[in-house]
PDB file of all heavy atoms in Angstrom:
ATOM      1  N   MET A   1     -25.812  21.310  -7.184  1.00 97.00           N
ATOM      2  CA  MET A   1     -26.435  20.904  -8.450  1.00 97.00           C
ATOM      3  C   MET A   1     -25.475  20.122  -9.323  1.00 97.00           C
ATOM      4  O   MET A   1     -25.854  19.141  -9.956  1.00 97.00           O
ATOM      5  CB  MET A   1     -26.946  22.131  -9.208  1.00 97.00           C
ATOM      6  CG  MET A   1     -28.257  22.679  -8.726  1.00 97.00           C
ATOM      7  SD  MET A   1     -29.064  23.759  -9.960  1.00 97.00           S
ATOM      8  CE  MET A   1     -27.808  25.009 -10.208  1.00 97.00           C
ATOM      9  N   VAL A   2     -24.224  20.568  -9.391  1.00 98.00           N
ATOM     10  CA  VAL A   2     -23.233  19.869 -10.220  1.00 98.00           C
ATOM     11  C   VAL A   2     -23.032  18.449  -9.705  1.00 98.00           C
ATOM     12  O   VAL A   2     -22.960  17.494 -10.493  1.00 98.00           O
ATOM     13  CB  VAL A   2     -21.906  20.650 -10.246  1.00 98.00           C
ATOM     14  CG1 VAL A   2     -20.793  19.806 -10.873  1.00 98.00           C
ATOM     15  CG2 VAL A   2     -22.068  21.951 -11.030  1.00 98.00           C
ATOM     16  N   ARG A   3     -22.954  18.279  -8.392  1.00 98.00           N
ATOM     17  CA  ARG A   3     -22.803  16.930  -7.831  1.00 98.00           C
ATOM     18  C   ARG A   3     -23.995  16.052  -8.191  1.00 98.00           C
ATOM     19  O   ARG A   3     -23.832  14.871  -8.559  1.00 98.00           O
ATOM     20  CB  ARG A   3     -22.635  17.005  -6.305  1.00 98.00           C
ATOM     21  CG  ARG A   3     -21.282  17.528  -5.850  1.00 98.00           C
ATOM     22  CD  ARG A   3     -21.063  17.260  -4.375  1.00 98.00           C
ATOM     23  NE  ARG A   3     -22.061  17.915  -3.537  1.00 98.00           N
ATOM     24  CZ  ARG A   3     -21.911  19.125  -3.019  1.00 98.00           C
ATOM     25  NH1 ARG A   3     -20.811  19.818  -3.259  1.00 98.00           N
ATOM     26  NH2 ARG A   3     -22.854  19.648  -2.256  1.00 98.00           N
ATOM     27  N   MET A   4     -25.200  16.605  -8.092  1.00 98.00           N
ATOM     28  CA  MET A   4     -26.395  15.834  -8.442  1.00 98.00           C
ATOM     29  C   MET A   4     -26.401  15.495  -9.932  1.00 98.00           C
ATOM     30  O   MET A   4     -26.822  14.398 -10.329  1.00 98.00           O
ATOM     31  CB  MET A   4     -27.654  16.612  -8.060  1.00 98.00           C
ATOM     32  CG  MET A   4     -27.899  16.673  -6.566  1.00 98.00           C
ATOM     33  SD  MET A   4     -29.493  17.444  -6.113  1.00 98.00           S
ATOM     34  CE  MET A   4     -29.047  19.185  -6.161  1.00 98.00           C
ATOM     35  N   PHE A   5     -25.911  16.410 -10.752  1.00 98.00           N
ATOM     36  CA  PHE A   5     -25.841  16.166 -12.188  1.00 98.00           C
ATOM     37  C   PHE A   5     -24.859  15.039 -12.501  1.00 98.00           C
ATOM     38  O   PHE A   5     -25.160  14.149 -13.307  1.00 98.00           O
ATOM     39  CB  PHE A   5     -25.432  17.440 -12.919  1.00 98.00           C
ATOM     40  CG  PHE A   5     -25.209  17.245 -14.391  1.00 98.00           C
ATOM     41  CD1 PHE A   5     -26.283  17.152 -15.265  1.00 98.00           C
ATOM     42  CD2 PHE A   5     -23.931  17.124 -14.907  1.00 98.00           C
ATOM     43  CE1 PHE A   5     -26.084  16.954 -16.624  1.00 98.00           C
ATOM     44  CE2 PHE A   5     -23.712  16.933 -16.262  1.00 98.00           C
ATOM     45  CZ  PHE A   5     -24.790  16.847 -17.122  1.00 98.00           C
ATOM     46  N   TYR A   6     -23.692  15.054 -11.875  1.00 98.00           N
ATOM     47  CA  TYR A   6     -22.720  13.974 -12.086  1.00 98.00           C
ATOM     48  C   TYR A   6     -23.355  12.621 -11.763  1.00 98.00           C
ATOM     49  O   TYR A   6     -23.203  11.646 -12.519  1.00 98.00           O
ATOM     50  CB  TYR A   6     -21.502  14.171 -11.187  1.00 98.00           C
ATOM     51  CG  TYR A   6     -20.575  15.299 -11.574  1.00 98.00           C
ATOM     52  CD1 TYR A   6     -19.571  15.719 -10.696  1.00 98.00           C
ATOM     53  CD2 TYR A   6     -20.668  15.954 -12.798  1.00 98.00           C
ATOM     54  CE1 TYR A   6     -18.701  16.742 -11.026  1.00 98.00           C
ATOM     55  CE2 TYR A   6     -19.804  16.988 -13.133  1.00 98.00           C
ATOM     56  CZ  TYR A   6     -18.815  17.374 -12.241  1.00 98.00           C
ATOM     57  OH  TYR A   6     -17.951  18.381 -12.570  1.00 98.00           O
ATOM     58  N   SER A   7     -24.045  12.558 -10.651  1.00 98.00           N
ATOM     59  CA  SER A   7     -24.685  11.305 -10.254  1.00 98.00           C
ATOM     60  C   SER A   7     -25.744  10.884 -11.265  1.00 98.00           C
ATOM     61  O   SER A   7     -25.843   9.707 -11.628  1.00 98.00           O
ATOM     62  CB  SER A   7     -25.312  11.475  -8.860  1.00 98.00           C
ATOM     63  OG  SER A   7     -26.000  10.309  -8.468  1.00 98.00           O
ATOM     64  N   GLU A   8     -26.537  11.847 -11.725  1.00 98.00           N
ATOM     65  CA  GLU A   8     -27.588  11.556 -12.707  1.00 98.00           C
ATOM     66  C   GLU A   8     -27.000  11.032 -14.016  1.00 98.00           C
ATOM     67  O   GLU A   8     -27.600  10.190 -14.684  1.00 98.00           O
ATOM     68  CB  GLU A   8     -28.399  12.825 -12.967  1.00 98.00           C
ATOM     69  CG  GLU A   8     -29.671  12.624 -13.756  1.00 98.00           C
ATOM     70  CD  GLU A   8     -30.765  11.938 -12.960  1.00 98.00           C
ATOM     71  OE1 GLU A   8     -30.766  12.037 -11.715  1.00 98.00           O
ATOM     72  OE2 GLU A   8     -31.630  11.293 -13.596  1.00 98.00           O
ATOM     73  N   MET A   9     -25.830  11.504 -14.385  1.00 98.00           N
ATOM     74  CA  MET A   9     -25.181  11.101 -15.631  1.00 98.00           C
ATOM     75  C   MET A   9     -24.443   9.775 -15.508  1.00 98.00           C
ATOM     76  O   MET A   9     -23.991   9.217 -16.514  1.00 98.00           O
ATOM     77  CB  MET A   9     -24.194  12.178 -16.081  1.00 98.00           C
ATOM     78  CG  MET A   9     -24.829  13.459 -16.589  1.00 98.00           C
ATOM     79  SD  MET A   9     -25.823  13.223 -18.086  1.00 98.00           S
ATOM     80  CE  MET A   9     -24.582  12.689 -19.267  1.00 98.00           C
ATOM     81  N   GLY A  10     -24.284   9.268 -14.290  1.00 98.00           N
ATOM     82  CA  GLY A  10     -23.477   8.065 -14.110  1.00 98.00           C
ATOM     83  C   GLY A  10     -21.994   8.374 -14.146  1.00 98.00           C
ATOM     84  O   GLY A  10     -21.193   7.564 -14.615  1.00 98.00           O
ATOM     85  N   TRP A  11     -21.637   9.557 -13.641  1.00 98.00           N
ATOM     86  CA  TRP A  11     -20.237   9.968 -13.556  1.00 98.00           C
ATOM     87  C   TRP A  11     -19.805   9.943 -12.096  1.00 98.00           C
ATOM     88  O   TRP A  11     -20.637   9.987 -11.188  1.00 98.00           O
ATOM     89  CB  TRP A  11     -20.049  11.372 -14.125  1.00 98.00           C
ATOM     90  CG  TRP A  11     -20.406  11.499 -15.579  1.00 98.00           C
ATOM     91  CD1 TRP A  11     -20.687  10.489 -16.456  1.00 98.00           C
ATOM     92  CD2 TRP A  11     -20.550  12.725 -16.328  1.00 98.00           C
ATOM     93  NE1 TRP A  11     -20.980  10.991 -17.697  1.00 98.00           N
ATOM     94  CE2 TRP A  11     -20.898  12.349 -17.659  1.00 98.00           C
ATOM     95  CE3 TRP A  11     -20.406  14.064 -16.019  1.00 98.00           C
ATOM     96  CZ2 TRP A  11     -21.114  13.302 -18.655  1.00 98.00           C
ATOM     97  CZ3 TRP A  11     -20.613  15.015 -17.009  1.00 98.00           C
ATOM     98  CH2 TRP A  11     -20.958  14.633 -18.320  1.00 98.00           C
ATOM     99  N   ASP A  12     -18.503   9.858 -11.858  1.00 97.00           N
ATOM    100  CA  ASP A  12     -18.020   9.836 -10.481  1.00 97.00           C
ATOM    101  C   ASP A  12     -17.999  11.259  -9.919  1.00 97.00           C
ATOM    102  O   ASP A  12     -18.311  12.225 -10.626  1.00 97.00           O
ATOM    103  CB  ASP A  12     -16.650   9.150 -10.401  1.00 97.00           C
ATOM    104  CG  ASP A  12     -15.523   9.965 -11.042  1.00 97.00           C
ATOM    105  OD1 ASP A  12     -15.704  11.169 -11.297  1.00 97.00           O
ATOM    106  OD2 ASP A  12     -14.445   9.380 -11.288  1.00 97.00           O
ATOM    107  N   PRO A  13     -17.656  11.429  -8.620  1.00 97.00           N
ATOM    108  CA  PRO A  13     -17.694  12.763  -8.016  1.00 97.00           C
ATOM    109  C   PRO A  13     -16.764  13.783  -8.669  1.00 97.00           C
ATOM    110  O   PRO A  13     -16.914  14.985  -8.445  1.00 97.00           O
ATOM    111  CB  PRO A  13     -17.289  12.498  -6.557  1.00 97.00           C
ATOM    112  CG  PRO A  13     -17.726  11.085  -6.301  1.00 97.00           C
ATOM    113  CD  PRO A  13     -17.457  10.370  -7.590  1.00 97.00           C
ATOM    114  N   GLN A  14     -15.812  13.323  -9.462  1.00 96.00           N
ATOM    115  CA  GLN A  14     -14.922  14.222 -10.194  1.00 96.00           C
ATOM    116  C   GLN A  14     -15.429  14.501 -11.618  1.00 96.00           C
ATOM    117  O   GLN A  14     -14.734  15.105 -12.425  1.00 96.00           O
ATOM    118  CB  GLN A  14     -13.504  13.650 -10.266  1.00 96.00           C
ATOM    119  CG  GLN A  14     -12.721  13.745  -8.966  1.00 96.00           C
ATOM    120  CD  GLN A  14     -13.243  12.766  -7.913  1.00 96.00           C
ATOM    121  OE1 GLN A  14     -13.432  11.579  -8.213  1.00 96.00           O
ATOM    122  NE2 GLN A  14     -13.478  13.266  -6.705  1.00 96.00           N
ATOM    123  N   GLY A  15     -16.640  14.036 -11.917  1.00 97.00           N
ATOM    124  CA  GLY A  15     -17.226  14.298 -13.214  1.00 97.00           C
ATOM    125  C   GLY A  15     -16.708  13.409 -14.320  1.00 97.00           C
ATOM    126  O   GLY A  15     -16.836  13.741 -15.503  1.00 97.00           O
ATOM    127  N   ARG A  16     -16.139  12.241 -13.954  1.00 96.00           N
ATOM    128  CA  ARG A  16     -15.614  11.322 -14.954  1.00 96.00           C
ATOM    129  C   ARG A  16     -16.606  10.188 -15.188  1.00 96.00           C
ATOM    130  O   ARG A  16     -17.077   9.571 -14.226  1.00 96.00           O
ATOM    131  CB  ARG A  16     -14.282  10.739 -14.476  1.00 96.00           C
ATOM    132  CG  ARG A  16     -13.199  11.786 -14.261  1.00 96.00           C
ATOM    133  CD  ARG A  16     -11.949  11.214 -13.643  1.00 96.00           C
ATOM    134  NE  ARG A  16     -12.211  10.633 -12.336  1.00 96.00           N
ATOM    135  CZ  ARG A  16     -11.279  10.463 -11.394  1.00 96.00           C
ATOM    136  NH1 ARG A  16     -10.038  10.865 -11.612  1.00 96.00           N
ATOM    137  NH2 ARG A  16     -11.593   9.921 -10.234  1.00 96.00           N
ATOM    138  N   PRO A  17     -16.956   9.910 -16.440  1.00 97.00           N
ATOM    139  CA  PRO A  17     -17.859   8.786 -16.714  1.00 97.00           C
ATOM    140  C   PRO A  17     -17.293   7.497 -16.136  1.00 97.00           C
ATOM    141  O   PRO A  17     -16.116   7.183 -16.334  1.00 97.00           O
ATOM    142  CB  PRO A  17     -17.903   8.740 -18.245  1.00 97.00           C
ATOM    143  CG  PRO A  17     -17.573  10.133 -18.686  1.00 97.00           C
ATOM    144  CD  PRO A  17     -16.578  10.630 -17.685  1.00 97.00           C
ATOM    145  N   THR A  18     -18.137   6.761 -15.411  1.00 96.00           N
ATOM    146  CA  THR A  18     -17.667   5.511 -14.806  1.00 96.00           C
ATOM    147  C   THR A  18     -17.564   4.415 -15.865  1.00 96.00           C
ATOM    148  O   THR A  18     -18.142   4.513 -16.951  1.00 96.00           O
ATOM    149  CB  THR A  18     -18.627   5.053 -13.702  1.00 96.00           C
ATOM    150  OG1 THR A  18     -19.904   4.751 -14.299  1.00 96.00           O
ATOM    151  CG2 THR A  18     -18.806   6.140 -12.644  1.00 96.00           C
ATOM    152  N   GLU A  19     -16.823   3.370 -15.541  1.00 96.00           N
ATOM    153  CA  GLU A  19     -16.696   2.238 -16.463  1.00 96.00           C
ATOM    154  C   GLU A  19     -18.048   1.603 -16.733  1.00 96.00           C
ATOM    155  O   GLU A  19     -18.316   1.153 -17.854  1.00 96.00           O
ATOM    156  CB  GLU A  19     -15.718   1.204 -15.891  1.00 96.00           C
ATOM    157  CG  GLU A  19     -14.266   1.663 -15.892  1.00 96.00           C
ATOM    158  CD  GLU A  19     -13.307   0.541 -15.557  1.00 96.00           C
ATOM    159  OE1 GLU A  19     -13.745  -0.642 -15.558  1.00 96.00           O
ATOM    160  OE2 GLU A  19     -12.130   0.826 -15.292  1.00 96.00           O
ATOM    161  N   GLU A  20     -18.898   1.569 -15.718  1.00 97.00           N
ATOM    162  CA  GLU A  20     -20.228   0.989 -15.896  1.00 97.00           C
ATOM    163  C   GLU A  20     -21.045   1.797 -16.902  1.00 97.00           C
ATOM    164  O   GLU A  20     -21.714   1.229 -17.775  1.00 97.00           O
ATOM    165  CB  GLU A  20     -20.960   0.927 -14.554  1.00 97.00           C
ATOM    166  CG  GLU A  20     -20.380  -0.036 -13.534  1.00 97.00           C
ATOM    167  CD  GLU A  20     -19.145   0.495 -12.823  1.00 97.00           C
ATOM    168  OE1 GLU A  20     -18.827   1.701 -12.995  1.00 97.00           O
ATOM    169  OE2 GLU A  20     -18.506  -0.292 -12.108  1.00 97.00           O
ATOM    170  N   THR A  21     -20.968   3.106 -16.795  1.00 97.00           N
ATOM    171  CA  THR A  21     -21.702   3.963 -17.723  1.00 97.00           C
ATOM    172  C   THR A  21     -21.190   3.797 -19.142  1.00 97.00           C
ATOM    173  O   THR A  21     -21.974   3.636 -20.089  1.00 97.00           O
ATOM    174  CB  THR A  21     -21.573   5.440 -17.296  1.00 97.00           C
ATOM    175  OG1 THR A  21     -22.211   5.603 -16.015  1.00 97.00           O
ATOM    176  CG2 THR A  21     -22.230   6.370 -18.305  1.00 97.00           C
ATOM    177  N   LEU A  22     -19.880   3.802 -19.309  1.00 97.00           N
ATOM    178  CA  LEU A  22     -19.296   3.660 -20.644  1.00 97.00           C
ATOM    179  C   LEU A  22     -19.595   2.286 -21.229  1.00 97.00           C
ATOM    180  O   LEU A  22     -19.875   2.159 -22.426  1.00 97.00           O
ATOM    181  CB  LEU A  22     -17.780   3.895 -20.589  1.00 97.00           C
ATOM    182  CG  LEU A  22     -17.345   5.314 -20.170  1.00 97.00           C
ATOM    183  CD1 LEU A  22     -15.826   5.404 -20.135  1.00 97.00           C
ATOM    184  CD2 LEU A  22     -17.929   6.362 -21.112  1.00 97.00           C
ATOM    185  N   SER A  23     -19.550   1.259 -20.400  1.00 96.00           N
ATOM    186  CA  SER A  23     -19.847  -0.097 -20.878  1.00 96.00           C
ATOM    187  C   SER A  23     -21.293  -0.186 -21.362  1.00 96.00           C
ATOM    188  O   SER A  23     -21.566  -0.784 -22.413  1.00 96.00           O
ATOM    189  CB  SER A  23     -19.606  -1.112 -19.766  1.00 96.00           C
ATOM    190  OG  SER A  23     -19.971  -2.414 -20.173  1.00 96.00           O
ATOM    191  N   ALA A  24     -22.230   0.413 -20.605  1.00 97.00           N
ATOM    192  CA  ALA A  24     -23.630   0.382 -21.003  1.00 97.00           C
ATOM    193  C   ALA A  24     -23.858   1.098 -22.326  1.00 97.00           C
ATOM    194  O   ALA A  24     -24.766   0.745 -23.084  1.00 97.00           O
ATOM    195  CB  ALA A  24     -24.489   1.014 -19.911  1.00 97.00           C
ATOM    196  N   LEU A  25     -23.004   2.085 -22.622  1.00 97.00           N
ATOM    197  CA  LEU A  25     -23.116   2.849 -23.868  1.00 97.00           C
ATOM    198  C   LEU A  25     -22.217   2.295 -24.965  1.00 97.00           C
ATOM    199  O   LEU A  25     -22.127   2.882 -26.046  1.00 97.00           O
ATOM    200  CB  LEU A  25     -22.760   4.324 -23.603  1.00 97.00           C
ATOM    201  CG  LEU A  25     -23.706   5.073 -22.676  1.00 97.00           C
ATOM    202  CD1 LEU A  25     -23.122   6.431 -22.307  1.00 97.00           C
ATOM    203  CD2 LEU A  25     -25.081   5.235 -23.313  1.00 97.00           C
ATOM    204  N   GLN A  26     -21.554   1.189 -24.678  1.00 95.00           N
ATOM    205  CA  GLN A  26     -20.650   0.546 -25.640  1.00 95.00           C
ATOM    206  C   GLN A  26     -19.524   1.489 -26.072  1.00 95.00           C
ATOM    207  O   GLN A  26     -19.154   1.565 -27.239  1.00 95.00           O
ATOM    208  CB  GLN A  26     -21.426   0.023 -26.856  1.00 95.00           C
ATOM    209  CG  GLN A  26     -22.447  -1.045 -26.510  1.00 95.00           C
ATOM    210  CD  GLN A  26     -23.182  -1.567 -27.731  1.00 95.00           C
ATOM    211  OE1 GLN A  26     -23.542  -0.811 -28.632  1.00 95.00           O
ATOM    212  NE2 GLN A  26     -23.390  -2.885 -27.780  1.00 95.00           N
ATOM    213  N   ILE A  27     -18.992   2.196 -25.083  1.00 96.00           N
ATOM    214  CA  ILE A  27     -17.841   3.062 -25.297  1.00 96.00           C
ATOM    215  C   ILE A  27     -16.656   2.452 -24.564  1.00 96.00           C
ATOM    216  O   ILE A  27     -16.730   2.166 -23.370  1.00 96.00           O
ATOM    217  CB  ILE A  27     -18.094   4.486 -24.753  1.00 96.00           C
ATOM    218  CG1 ILE A  27     -19.276   5.139 -25.500  1.00 96.00           C
ATOM    219  CG2 ILE A  27     -16.849   5.357 -24.882  1.00 96.00           C
ATOM    220  CD1 ILE A  27     -19.694   6.486 -24.914  1.00 96.00           C
ATOM    221  N   LYS A  28     -15.575   2.240 -25.265  1.00 92.00           N
ATOM    222  CA  LYS A  28     -14.389   1.667 -24.648  1.00 92.00           C
ATOM    223  C   LYS A  28     -13.738   2.689 -23.724  1.00 92.00           C
ATOM    224  O   LYS A  28     -13.392   3.785 -24.165  1.00 92.00           O
ATOM    225  CB  LYS A  28     -13.388   1.229 -25.722  1.00 92.00           C
ATOM    226  CG  LYS A  28     -12.137   0.559 -25.142  1.00 92.00           C
ATOM    227  CD  LYS A  28     -11.198   0.136 -26.269  1.00 92.00           C
ATOM    228  CE  LYS A  28      -9.945  -0.515 -25.681  1.00 92.00           C
ATOM    229  NZ  LYS A  28      -8.987  -0.917 -26.760  1.00 92.00           N
TER     230      LYS A  28
END
């Protein structure tokens, strides 16, 4: 479930928000 949640959030397998996700949210 945690792995599926990371993917749903746009985070990498280590639970870190990806650059693409942060860029889409206008977060540096």
Side-chain angles (χ1 to χ4, degrees):
M1 281 198 302
V2 169
R3 287 194 299 268
M4 288 186 277
F5 174 78
Y6 288 169
S7 177
E8 191 73 26
M9 289 296 296
W11 298 350
D12 70 15
Q14 285 72 49
R16 298 173 299 203
T18 64
E19 290 190 12
E20 293 78 9
T21 296
L22 296 179
S23 176
L25 295 170
Q26 298 181 320
I27 298 173
K28 182 179 179 181

